[in-house]
């Protein structure tokens, strides 16, 4: 996945003149925290160099994950056309870019972010390319301010930074501010998946309907050591590779997510929850289906379904059969 041209240009401009050594050191600190899943409450981007490191190394992956999740929402809720967005823990506005790319008619956004440096850089990146946005200082470790209902609410890569006893209250508060769909995204680790499961259970108990990735509102059928997660391949710029010490022009961002709606979504036969195996006249699919986990082999005997199966990727929905 590539960043939108306007965002790529804005990021490149933000990184002009930055010494590679400084950028690499800041990127290394961010990467260590992310990979170690440190949850000590000390993560707070307060300086320009840390934000620039985020723009160079984490923004593309975060954008790709959120954009993939929103694609899944749009597929199952083709009637959903959000006019307003609330992004909690917005960082530099990455999710706003993904939402505006998914729904070009998005008209307004409220972005909650505790870091003044992130708010400043986010406003600079957006320029005139995005819908009008209100940036609000907010500490998500504390109760949310009074918020009107927004059509789309996003919480991406935030729960992993909060103490466990704060997560439920935040999810409840954001659901109260959700008029249409609430999307929560976490790293695609077993711990991230467990946080998603906790939020999913909470939202279903509050009357929500799962839009994606699950094709049902029942308990997740996966059992340890398995966990539900997906991946999106992200194009790396030259500076991105240099800052992270990488050689290949891409990286795979793994993520877990749940999107919950006030209304039920269109039914699907299942969600592909592992890379399809096989080629040609035989495709093996692992699906999460309304009836549970399904291992399905598609062959020539399945007619047109084989052509569909050949195109399916990890994370895709298998549409309901007529």
């Amino acid at each position: 996945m590539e960043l939108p041209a306007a965002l790529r240009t804005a990021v490149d401009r933000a990184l002009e003149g930055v010494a590679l050594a400084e950028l690499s050191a800041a990127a290394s600190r961010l990467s260590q925290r992310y990979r170690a899943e440190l949850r000590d409450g000390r993560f707070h981007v307060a300086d320009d160099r840390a934000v620039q490191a985020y723009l160079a190394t984490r923004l593309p992956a975060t954008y790709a994950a959120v954009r993939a999740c929103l694609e899944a929402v749009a597929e199952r809720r083709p009637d959903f056309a959000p006019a307003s967005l609330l992004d909690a823990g917005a960082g530099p506005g990455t999710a706003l870019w993904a939402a505006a790319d998914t729904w070009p008619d998005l008209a307004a956004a409220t972005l909650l972010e505790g870091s003044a440096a992130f708010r400043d850089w986010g406003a600079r990146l957006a320029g005139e390319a995005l819908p009008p946005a209100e940036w609000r200082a907010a500490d998500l470790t504390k109760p949310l301010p009074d918020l009107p209902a927004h059509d789309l609410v996003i919480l991406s890569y935030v729960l992993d930074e909060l103490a466990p006893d704060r997560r439920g209250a935040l999810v409840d508060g954001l659901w109260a501010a959700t008029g249409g769909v609430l999307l929560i995204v976490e790293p695609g680790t077993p711990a991230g998946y467990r946080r998603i499961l906790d939020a999913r259970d909470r939202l279903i108990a509050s009357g929500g309907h799962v839009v994606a990735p699950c094709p049902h509102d029942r308990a997740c059928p996966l059992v340890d050591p398995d966990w539900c997660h997906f991946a999106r391949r992200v194009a790396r710029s030259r500076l991105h590779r240099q800052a992270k010490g990488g050689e290949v022009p891409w990286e795979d961002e793994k993520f877990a997510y749940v999107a919950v709606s006030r209304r039920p979504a269109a039914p699907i036969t299942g969600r592909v929850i592992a890379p399809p195996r096989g080629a040609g006249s035989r495709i093996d699919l692992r699906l999460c289906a309304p009836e549970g986990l399904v291992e399905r082999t598609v062959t020539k005997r399945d007619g047109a379904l084989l052509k569909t199966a050949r195109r399916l990727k990890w994370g895709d929905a298998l549409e309901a059969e007529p």
Side-chain angles (χ1 to χ4, degrees):
M1 177 178 285
E2 299 275 357
L3 294 179
L7 178 55
R8 168 50 55 201
T9 298
V11 169
D12 288 345
R13 189 179 303 119
L15 298 175
E16 287 178 356
V18 181
L20 179 59
E22 294 181 20
L23 193 65
S24 297
S28 178
R29 290 191 294 270
L30 288 177
S31 180
Q32 287 170 9
R33 289 192 61 89
Y34 180 80
R35 293 181 182 279
E37 294 200 72
L38 279 174
R39 311 300 166 225
D40 54 13
R42 298 176 184 171
F43 181 74
H44 186 70
V45 174
D47 61 81
D48 285 350
R49 197 64 74 239
V51 174
Q52 289 166 319
Y54 182 95
L55 298 181
T57 62
R58 281 302 305 160
L59 182 146
T62 301
Y63 175 89
V66 174
R67 185 66 175 82
C69 299
L70 295 178
E71 286 176 6
V73 171
E75 288 173 357
R76 287 205 68 197
R77 281 287 311 274
D79 60 319
F80 182 56
S84 59
L85 165 70
L86 171 64
D87 185 11
T94 313
L96 173 57
W97 283 92
D101 194 48
T102 309
W103 293 286
D105 291 333
L106 188 72
T110 302
L111 294 92
L112 307 181
E113 173 53 49
S115 164
F118 261 147
R119 296 195 302 271
D120 179 57
W121 278 100
R124 289 193 227 177
L125 290 178
E128 302 297 323
L130 293 177
E134 177 190 4
W135 287 85
R136 298 177 60 176
D139 183 352
L140 299 184
T141 66
K142 299 177 180 178
L144 291 171
D146 290 335
L147 297 165
H150 290 69
D151 298 330
L152 174 64
V153 178
I154 297 177
L155 182 73
S156 60
Y157 295 89
V158 172
L159 290 180
D160 61 330
E161 291 293 344
L162 299 179
D165 60 359
R166 175 60 194 140
R167 295 170 188 158
L170 178 59
V171 170
D172 291 346
L174 292 177
W175 180 241
T178 300
V181 173
L182 169 59
L183 169 66
I184 303 176
V185 187
E186 285 288 294
T189 61
Y193 162 67
R194 287 192 293 271
R195 290 188 292 270
I196 289 294
L197 278 187
D198 289 343
R200 180 184 185 273
D201 291 345
R202 199 173 191 99
L203 292 166
I204 291 173
S206 297
H209 303 275
V210 179
V211 175
C214 324
H216 57 77
D217 294 339
R218 300 197 313 276
C220 178
L222 293 177
V223 296
D224 287 339
D226 205 355
W227 75 99
C228 184
H229 65 293
F230 304 92
R232 183 56 63 101
R233 181 151 290 184
V234 183
R236 281 174 162 174
S237 67
R238 179 171 175 269
L239 186 58
H240 186 167
R241 296 197 302 274
Q242 291 176 327
K244 296 190 75 170
E247 297 181 359
V248 296
W250 49 264
E251 67 178 3
D252 290 326
E253 174 67 5
K254 295 182 179 180
F255 58 95
Y257 76 102
V258 67
V260 179
S261 174
R262 294 284 182 186
R263 294 177 47 196
I268 57 175
T269 297
R271 176 84 53 189
V272 181
I273 60 170
R277 302 184 305 276
S281 60
R282 176 189 171 113
I283 306 293
D284 294 320
L285 300 173
R286 192 180 196 211
L287 303 171
C288 182
E291 63 272 27
L293 287 179
V294 173
E295 303 285 347
R296 182 164 185 177
T297 297
V298 183
T299 66
K300 289 182 179 179
R301 290 176 295 181
D302 295 294
L305 181 59
L306 178 60
K307 185 176 180 180
T308 298
R310 287 171 179 158
R311 297 193 300 267
L312 288 174
K313 303 181 297 298
W314 183 14
D316 285 349
L318 181 60
E319 301 297 331
E321 299 176 17

